[in-house]
Amino acid sequence: MVKNSLISILKQKEKEENSGSVEFQVFIFTSKIRKLTSHLELHKRDFLSQRGLRIILGKRQRLLTYLSKKKKTRYTKLMDQLDIREPKIR
């Protein structure tokens, strides 16, 4: 189900030809994160991949905070579509 929604989002964004939008960037980062986490389940001691995962997570988090401050409705819609949890507030 999640995979189908991701594919539909990707096709919609390709039609708009707006690959620089925040939603599209978050989608790309989310797909990279899922790929890296599945890789790290097999290779637990791959520290360079762990570092890359942390970098991508930080970039996605910054984009999501930007989107939540600017457009709250787009933020909540994106969080529901990509099945991402809300960040912990410190």
Side-chain angles (χ1 to χ4, degrees):
M1 184 170 117
V2 173
K3 193 174 190 179
N4 291 337
S5 65
L6 294 177
I7 292 171
S8 66
I9 292 171
L10 180 60
K11 287 181 181 179
Q12 178 185 5
K13 292 299 176 183
E14 285 178 351
K15 288 179 186 175
E16 294 175 3
E17 296 180 6
N18 191 3
S19 61
S21 69
V22 176
E23 291 91 350
F24 188 77
Q25 290 179 31
V26 170
F27 166 73
I28 295 297
F29 286 145
T30 304
S31 62
K32 285 182 182 180
I33 287 168
R34 290 187 175 138
K35 189 184 301 183
L36 275 174
T37 53
S38 66
H39 168 77
L40 287 172
E41 287 175 355
L42 296 174
H43 308 282
K44 296 183 189 316
R45 296 181 57 92
D46 188 358
F47 300 115
L48 291 177
S49 294
Q50 288 178 9
R51 181 178 183 268
L53 177 64
R54 286 190 202 107
I55 290 170
I56 293 171
L57 282 169
K59 287 180 183 179
R60 184 180 76 172
Q61 186 60 42
R62 285 191 297 272
L63 284 172
L64 286 173
T65 55
Y66 167 78
L67 190 61
S68 70
K69 290 178 183 176
K70 297 293 180 180
K71 306 276 185 170
K72 192 66 174 176
T73 57
R74 287 171 47 191
Y75 170 76
T76 55
K77 182 179 175 184
L78 182 68
M79 294 293 277
D80 290 338
Q81 285 179 344
L82 294 179
D83 196 30
I84 302 173
R85 293 182 302 191
E86 290 286 327
K88 294 180 181 176
I89 300 173
R90 295 183 181 183

